[in-house]
Amino acid sequence: MESPHLIWLLFVPLIASVLSLIVHWFGDFTRPILEFLHLASVTATLVLTFIVAGQVLDAGEALAFSDWLRVDSLGALFVVIVGVMGFLSGIYSIGFTRHELAVGYTNHDIAIGGLDMGRLRVFYSLFHFFLFTMLLAVTSNNIIIMWVAIEATTLSSAFLVGLYGTRPALEAAWKYVVICTVGVAFGLYGTILVYSDAVNLIQETSKASLWTEIVKNASTLDPTLLKLAFVFILIGFGTKAGIVPMHSWLPDTYSEAPSPVSALLSGVLVNCTLFVIIRFSIIVNLALGTSFAQILFLVFGVISLAAAVFFMMGQKDINRLLAYSSPENIGLILIALGLGGPIGILAGLLQLVNHSIVKTMMFFLSGNILMKYRSRSLDVVKGLMQAAPLTSFFLLAGVFALVGAPPFNIFFSKFLIVSAGIATGYWWLMIVCMLLLMLAFTALFRMGSSVTLGQKPVEIQNGESGFTTLAPIAILMVLALVLGLFMPAQLTDLLNGAVEVVNAGVTATPLAGPNGSASVAGPLGGLSVESFFSFFSGH
Amino acid sequence: MDAIQLLISSALTFAATGLLSLLLRGLERPARVVSGLGGAAASVLAFLSALAAFVGDSASLELTGFSAFGRFVLAMDGLSAFMVGAISLLAFAASIYSIGYVHEYRGRGCGELGFFNNIFIAAMLMVVTVANAFYFLIFWELMTLASYFLVIFEQEKKESVSAGYLYFLIAHIGTALIMLSFFILYQQTGSFDFDSFRNAGLPLGIQSLIFLLAFFGFGAKAGIVPLHIWLPRAHPAAPSHVSALLSGVMIKTAIYGLIRLCVDILGAPLWWWGFVVLCFGGLSALLGIVYALDERDLKRLLAYSSVENVGIILMGVGVGMMGMSLQLPTLAVIGFLAALYHLLNHAMFKGLLFMGAGAVVYSAHTRNMNEMGGLARAMPWTSFVFLVGAVAISAIPPLNGFVSEWFVFQSLFIASSTELGVLRVFAPLFAVLLGLVGAMAAMTFVKAYGTTFTGQPRSVHARDAVEVPGSMLAGMGALAIAVTLLGLGAPWVTPFIGGVAAQVANVPTETLASGIQIFPGNEAQGVLSTPIIFLLHAGLLTFPLVAVFALGGHRAGQRVDADPWACGYGYQPQMGISATNFAQPMLAAFRPLYLLRTLAQKPLDGIASFAKRFGASLPAAEPVVERTVSQPIFAFVRTVGGWVQRMQMGDLRMYCLYIFIALAVLLIVIFK
Amino acid sequence: MVTFVLAGILLPFLGSLLVLILPRSWVKATSQLVTFAAMLCTLFVLYSLGMTGKVGYTQDLLFFGDIVLYGVIVDKISALLGSVFILFGFLVVVYSGGYLSEKNRDHVEHNGVQRRYYFFLLTFIGAMAGLVMSSTMLGLLAFFELTGVCSWGLIGYYNDEKSLKAALKAIVTTELASVGLFIATAAFFVLTGGFQLSAFATLDDTIKTWLFIGILIAAWGKSAQLPLHFWLPDAMAAPTPISAYLHAASMVKAGVYIFARCLLSAGTVPQVIGVVGVIMAIVTMFYGLLMYFPQKDFKRLLAYSTITQLSYIFFALSLSIFGSATAFNGAIAHVFNHALGKGLFFLVAGAVGFSTGTRLLPNLKGLLKKMPLVGICFAVAALAVTGVPPFNGFFSKFTIFAGGFEAAKNAPLLMILVVIAILETIGSFAWLFWVFSSSVPGDSSAEVAAASDIAPSMKFALVILACLALLSGFFAMAWLK
Amino acid sequence: MLNVNLINTLSGLLLLTSLLVIETKKPRQSAILYSFQSLILVAIFLALAIRMEADQLYLWAASAFLTKVVLVPVILYRALGKVDQTVTSLNTVSAPVSVLLAALAVVVSFTVVSQIELKSAADFIPALAISVAHFFFGQLCIVTQRNLFKQILGFCLMENGSHLTLALLAYRAPELVEIGIATDAVFAVIILVALAGQIYKRLHTLDSAELQTLKG
C-alpha cells in the first residue's frame, strides 16, 4: 500500500532539523520558537508513526518512493519505538535543556558542562536529524540506503554526544565517531557483498538493492559470499549495536552525552542497528538455513552478556553502569534470536521493545540526577530519597524493571527467553545466562540502593526536577507496567507480524491461530491475546 | 454424676478458680482465698470421682479430639482412680494450707501463684486419667510447665531460676524419651490410643527399647538416681505447698506413667525390666537418703528424701514387674501393692513434712536448719504435726510409712524364694539395703525434727518465730490425720489398693483377703494388722515404764530444772546438736557414697569445659559458609570483572583492534 | 468468594499506592485500615471454606489466550496460610505504628512516618497473599520475586551502611536462588504448555526431579537454608517489625510454601528429592542450633532459630515424599504456628529494643519485673517456638515427628534422622529457655531498669499474638485434620 | 577491452599508495598521497567501465574524482594547516612492523577471497583480494597511528577499499547508491575533521593517546 504518511514521517523531522538551525534570527524568542518547533515536530512524528503502524496492521505493509521505503510489521514495530521514544525524549529535552541553559555553557575544563543558545540550536537541529536518520534506517527497503542511514545516525549524533564541549565529552564523541564509522564501514563491506551477489541474479538492477527482492531470490545467492557478507555485517552493525567486543565506544558515549541523547542512543539507535542485522539475517536464513546466523547470534549474545555484566560489577558511574546494561540486554536479545523459532524470535523482539522502554526511562532518570547533583558518581549521588522522593521512587522502580523484577515487562520477556532456551534444549546455557544476569542484578541493585538511600550531600537542595522531565518517566513507567501485565492487541499483532517476517524463511507454516483478539475473562478483565501464546500451547 | 463427670468438673473447677485468681491478681486476699478454697472444693470433687470409680465400674469418656491423633479419651480404671485419689487428698490439704501460707508472698503475685498451682493440679489429674498418648503428652508437659513457673516463683533468687531451668530441661528431655516410646508404638499401630497400644504385638526387642526409653523418660521426672539432680534444687525452690505437691504427687505421676506404659500396656514380659527398675530403685533409695542425711537445708533434705522414697516405690514396682514376667501373680500383686501403698503414703507424709517445713519457713524465714532450733515452743502445733510426719516417714509403726515399707520387705522376701537365680541372690540384698535405708531415714528425720524444733533457738529468726495461721494448721492437720488413718487403717485400706494392684498385674482380686491377721493363711494374704503391731509396740513401751515404776527408780523420771552443763562454759545454742554435726558419723561411714558426688563432678566439669571451649570456637564457625563459599565466589567474580574491565582501557586504537580481531577470528573460524 | 480472595490480595497493593499519594499524616491510618480490611476478607474466606467442608477450588483469572497466567487456588492450605500471613501483616502494621517513632530507643535517629516503609510493607503483604493463593507456577514465581524486592526495601530501611549491605546481600542471595525457580517455571511452561500447577502431576519422574531441584534451590535461598542461609542473620538490620514479619512469619515461608504447593500438585514425587531435602534439612537444623550459642544479639539468635524451624518444615515436607500425609500437615501447621510464635518473639525483641535501646542479651535481665507484659510474651513466645504444649509449636512439631515415624516405617534409616531432629528440638529448647531464664525473671539490669514504656499499639499486637500463640496450635491441627 | 591485468596491477598500486599514506610522517603529505591514491581508484573505475561496458561506472569515476581526489584531500589539507604539526608523527608501532601487519592482511584477504565463487568476479580475484586488504590497511592505519588526522585518513582508506569492492562486484548498481555512499563518506570526513578541530581547540592535542581519560 502506497503511503504518503511514510514520506511525511521522514520529512517532518528533516524539516524541523533545518528550521531549527535558522531560528536564531528571532533573537529573544529563539528558545520558545525552538521549543515549539521541537514539540510540533516530535508530536507530528509520533502521530505519523502511529498512522503508519496502523496502515501496516491493516494492509501488511506501507510503501513509498517506488518501494525504496517500505514498512512491514517488523519495520512498523521499530518505527513505533522510534516514534514513541523520540516523542518522550523530545518532551524530556525541553525540561532538560532549560535546566542546562540555566547552568550555562562554560569554557572551563570541567567534567560536566552546561549549554548556551548556540549549542541549544545545534542540539534541537541534530536531534531531529538524528530522528530522521533512524527513521530512514528502519523504513528503508534499500539495503544500501539502510547502511547510509546508519552511518548518518553516527554522523548526526556525533555532535550531540560532544555537545557539552568538555574534555570527556569531546573524547567520547571522537571515539564514538571513529569506532562507529570504522565499524559501519565493515557493514558497508558486507552490504556491498550482498548487493553484488544479488545484482548478478536480479535482472532489473535498480531493484537488486531492494531487500524485498533479495529475499525473494535469497535461495539462489552464493552461500560463501553470503557467509562472508554476514560476518562483515554482524561485526559492522554490531559495532553500532554495542555487541561485545565492538561495544567499546558505548560507555563513554552514553555517559558523556546529554541525557536525552543517551536515552535515544541506548533506547532507539541500538534497536535500529539490530533491525538492520535482523533484516540481513532473514536473507542469510533463507539462503543458508537458520543455523549459521543463529550460532553467530548465540555466540555474540553470550559474549556480550557475559562481558557486560562483568563490566557492570563495581562500576562507580551511574551512566556507565546503565550503558553497560545495554550490551547485556543486546546480548539477551541476540541469544533469543539465536535460539530461534517463533518463541525465541518473539522473546527477542519483546525484550527489545521492553529494553528500549526501560532503558530510556533510566537515562531520563540519570539525567534528573545529573541536573540535581551535577555528578554521576555513586560516591557523590546519595540520599535521593530525601532530595527528590518521586525521582527516587521512579529510579527504584526502574531498577526493578531493568533487572526483570515482576510485574515489570522485562520479567516476562526474560521468562520467554528462558522458555525458548529450554524449549530448544539449551538448558545449561539458560542457567549460565541467569547466573550472569544475577551479576547485573547485583550491580544495578547496588546502584539503586546507593543512590536512593544513604545520606544526601548537605549542599544538595530538596526538590523534584519539574514536570517535563518527570512526565516522560512516568509514562514510560506506566508502559513498563502495562506491558508487564497486559499486552495491547495492536502490539501483539505487530509482534506476531514481525515474528512472521523474521521467521519467514524458516518455517513454512506461519503462526497458528487467528489474529489477536481481546476477550475479557475473570473479574480482572485480563486482556486475552490468543495468538500470542497459542503457538506453545499447541506445541 | 459418674466418676468421669466428677473428674471433669473437678478439673474445670481447678482451672476456673485458677483463672479467677489470675484475674484477681490485683487484690491479693481474694485471689488467695479463691484459689485455695476453690482448689479444696475441686479436690473434694476429684476425691469423690475416685471413690465413684472404685465403687462403680471403670468409667471412660470419649470425645472426637481436635487433632488427627485420635480421640480424646478419659478412662478411670483402678490405677487412675487411685492416682486421682492420692492427688486429690494432697491437693485438698495443700489448697487449705495455701490460703494462709500464700500471705507470705504478698506483693509478689499471689494471683499468679494460685493460677499456676491450680492449673498444675488440674494437669496432674488429667495426666493420670487420659488414655491417649497425644493428650497424655500435652497434659504431661502442661504439668511440667505450670510447675516450672511455680518453681521459679521466687524469681529474685538466682538459684530458684536456675533450678527451674534445670528442672524443665531434664523434664523436657524425659518427655522427649517418653514421646519417642509412644512414637514407636504409633508407628506400629497407627494410633495414639492406649487401647490400640495394648494390641500392638510388637517384637520383644522393640518392646524392650520402648521400656528403656519410657523408664528413663519417666525416671527423669520421678527423680531416680542419676537423673535426680534437679529434684533437690527445684522442689525446695517452690513455695512450700507447691513443694508438697511436687514431691508428694507430681513425681508419682511418673511412676503412674511407668506402670501404665510398661506394665499395663506392654505387660512387662521380660524379667530384666523389673530388675532394672528394682536396681535403680535401690540405688535411688540408698543415695537419696544418704544425701538427705547430709543436708542442712530443711527443704532440700525433704527433697532428697523424696528421691529415697521414689526409690522405694520403684523397688516395689520392680518386684511387681518381675512377678508379672515370671507369672507369679502373688509376687506381682504384692509388689505393686507395696509400690502403690508407699506412693500414697509418701504423698501424705511428704506433703505434710513440706508443709511443716513451709510453716517453719513462714515463721522463721530461713530454711537452714542450723539457724533454727527450739521452734517447738513457739509453734507447738506445727511441731506436733511435723513430728507425726517424721515418724511416719521413718517407718515407725503405727503410722503409714511402716505399713508400706513392710509390704516392700514382704515382696522382696517372696521374691527371694522364686526360682530366678538373680532374684534369689539380689532380693535379700535389696531387703537388707531397704533396712539400712529405713534406719538412715529415721536418723535423718530425728535430725530434721530435732534440730528444727528442739533445743535452743540458734538465730534471731528462730527466736522470733510464732505459730502459723489456722488454715495452714488445718491443711497440715488433715494430712496428719490421713497419715494416721492410713497407718492404723491399713487392714481396710490394703484390699482397696490390693485390688488396684491386682488390676495392674492383671490377676483376679480374690487372692487378697482383708482383716486383722497376724499369721496369714497363705502368702497371698500378706496383710499385716497395724493395730496389733501398734499394741505390741505400745506394750513394749509400757514395759520399761512399768519396770521403772516397779523398781522404784522414780528419781530417774524427776525433772531437773537447771542450766545445761558444758564443761565449764556457759551453754550456747551453738553447742547443741545441729544439722551439720549430727550427721557427722554417718558422713564418715558413707564417705565413698558421698565421694560419688565429687567423682561425678569431674567428668561433668570436663564436659562443661569442653562445651565452653566448643562454644568459644563457634563464633569463628559462624561465617564459615560465607568465607568458604560466597566470598570466594564474589572475589572470583571481582577478579574476572577486573580483567574484563581492563579491556576498556580508554585507547581508541585498541578498541578498533578489537573489532578487527573479532572479524579476523570469525573469518578464520568460518573459512578456516 | 473469589472476590474476597482477590480483595485480600489487591487491597494491600491498593493501599501501597494510596500510601504514596495521600498526605503524610494519613499514611499510618490508611495502612492499618487497608490491612484490616484485607484481613477481614481472608478470614471470611477461611471461615466460608470451613463452613463448606473445606473443599478446595481453583479460579483462573488472568489469561493469555487459553493459557492461564494467574489464578487463585483456595484450599485448606492456602486459606489457612493466606489468612495468617495477612493477619500478621495487619498486626505488624499496627505494631509499626507505635514502633516507628521518636520514642524508639533502638533507633533514635528515626524521623517520622515514612511512606517508603508502608509502601514496601503493604506491597509485600499483597505479594505474599498473591503467592499463597496462586494456582500457577508463574504466579508463584512472580510473587516470589516481588517479595524479594520488597524485602530489600525494608531491610535497608534505616539507610546506614550496615543495613544497606544486608539488604543487598539478602536480595542477591535470594534472587540467585530464585534462578532455580525461574528455570523450573520456564521448563514447566515448555513441557506442559501452561502454568497451571495441576499439570504437574502429568510430568514424568525424571522431569519432576529436575523441576524439584530447581524449586528446592529457590526455596532454600528464600527460606535461608544451608548453604544460602547467611543473609538472614544479617537481615536483622531491618526494623524489628519487619524482621518479625518477613524473617519469621512470611517471606522466609515463601520458600517452603512453593515447595509444599508443588509437592501437593505433583502427586508422587521421586524419592531422591525427599532424600536430598531431608539431609539438607538435618544439616541446616544442626548448623542453626550450633549457631545459637555464640549469639549475643537477641535478633540474631532469633534469626538462627528461624533457620532451624524452617529446616523442620523442609524436613517434614521431604518426609511427606516418603508417603506420610501427616508430615505434610505437620509442615503446613508449622508454617502457621511458627509464623505466630516466632513473629511474637521478634515483636518482643522489638519491644525490648524500643524501651531499653539494646538488643544485647547479656544486658537484658529481669524483664518481667519492669515490663510484665513483655516478659509474659517473651515466655509465651519461647514456649511456642520451642514446642511446649499447650503452645502452638508443640502441635506442629509433634505432627512432624509422628509423620516422620510414619515415613520411617518404609524407610528405617529415616528413623535416625527423625531422632536427630528430636534431639535438635531439645537443644533448641535448652538454649532458648536458658535465654529466657537469664533475661526474663529476676532483678532488672541497669538497662532494663531504665526502660521506657512501649506504645499502646505495640501492646495490642503483642497481646493478640500471645493469645494466638496459645490457640493457633489447636486451630491449625483441627483445621488440617 | 582492457586487460584484466591492468586492473589488478592498478589495484596493487593502490596497496602501495596506502602503505605510503600510512607511513608518511607528515599528515599533509599523507593527504596529498591520499589524493593520488584516489586518482588511481578513479583510474580503476574507468578501466572497469571500459572492460565491463558499464556506463554507470563513468559516473562513479566522476563522483569519486570529485569527492575523493578533490574534496576530501582539500578539506584535510586545509584543516591540517590550522593545527600544530609537531604531534603529527606519532605512531604506535614501527614502520616495519606495520608493513608486516599489512602483509598479513593481504595474505588473509587472499585466503578468504579465493574461496568465493562469483562468476562475475572470477577475473578480478586479485583485485578483489586487494580491495579487501586495502580495507584492512585503513584499519591498520587507525590502529597504528596516534594522530587524529591519520586516523581520519585511515577511515578514508577503508572507504576506498570498500568502494573498490563495490565497483568490482556491483558495477551495475544505480548511481544513487554510489552517490549516497560517497556523500556519506564526505560527510563523515567533514564531521571527523570538525571534531578533531574542536578537540585541538579545546584540548590542544591531536594525540589520541591523550584521549584516554574515559575508561573502565
Side-chain angles (χ1 to χ4, degrees), chain C residues 380-410:
Chain C
V380 170
L383 293 167
V385 167
T386 51
V388 176
F391 296 97
N392 56 18
F394 169 78
F395 298 100
S396 39
K397 276 193 182 177
F398 186 87
T399 318
I400 290 172
F401 295 143
F405 273 85
E406 270 178 20
K409 204 170 183 181
N410 307 326

Side-chain angles (χ1 to χ4, degrees), chain C residues 113-345:
Chain C
V113 178
Q114 293 262 352
R115 293 171 196 277
R116 175 164 51 107
Y117 179 87
Y118 286 102
F119 170 75
F120 278 122
L121 182 54
L122 291 178
T123 311
F124 177 83
I125 294 172
M128 204 61 212
L131 174 83
V132 173
M133 294 294 175
S134 170
S135 72
T136 63
M137 280 292 270
L138 190 67
L140 289 181
L141 173 66
F143 284 118
F144 187 85
E145 302 217 351
L146 195 54
T147 57
V149 167
C150 294
S151 90
W152 169 82
L154 290 167
I155 295 171
Y157 175 71
Y158 281 122
N159 254 353
D160 48 17
E161 191 76 14
K162 198 175 139 218
S163 59
L164 290 181
K165 224 172 167 178
L168 196 65
K169 201 182 212 178
I171 182 81
V172 169
T173 316
T174 54
E175 286 299 307
L176 183 67
S178 85
V179 168
L181 184 62
F182 201 102
I183 301 271
T185 308
F188 184 86
F189 173 53
V190 168
L191 293 166
T192 66
F195 293 106
Q196 275 160 309
L197 281 164
S198 49
F200 220 125
T202 60
L203 298 170
D204 70 46
D205 269 6
T206 328
I207 287 167
K208 271 187 195 168
T209 309
W210 285 109
L211 290 186
F212 266 106
I213 285 173
I215 290 164
L216 260 183
I217 288 171
W220 283 333
K222 202 74 160 183
S223 299
Q225 299 293 291
L226 226 55
L228 297 166
H229 66 286
F230 45 81
W231 64 271
L232 187 61
D234 288 359
M236 295 300 122
T240 311
I242 295 307
S243 303
Y245 191 39
L246 269 64
H247 307 132
S250 61
M251 189 186 78
V252 290
K253 305 290 172 56
V256 285
Y257 181 78
I258 53 162
F259 186 42
R261 181 50 79 191
C262 293
L263 281 181
L264 200 63
S265 314
T268 56
V269 178
Q271 294 213 340
V272 59
I273 295 297
V275 172
V276 171
V278 166
I279 289 172
M280 288 303 289
I282 289 287
V283 171
T284 309
M285 213 181 272
F286 260 81
Y287 175 80
L289 176 64
L290 287 181
M291 286 308 122
Y292 283 10
F293 305 125
Q295 301 309 329
K296 295 273 182 291
D297 183 334
F298 195 177
K299 282 178 74 182
R300 270 183 91 86
L301 174 67
L302 293 183
Y304 277 108
S305 160
T306 302
I307 290 174
T308 59
Q309 296 307 305
L310 288 164
S311 333
Y312 271 105
I313 301 170
F314 271 108
F315 183 63
L317 289 174
S318 309
L319 284 175
S320 76
I321 293 173
F322 296 96
S324 167
T326 312
F328 190 85
N329 281 345
I332 299 299
H334 205 55
V335 171
F336 182 80
N337 293 339
H338 178 253
L340 295 168
K342 184 57 65 59
L344 173 63
F345 221 153

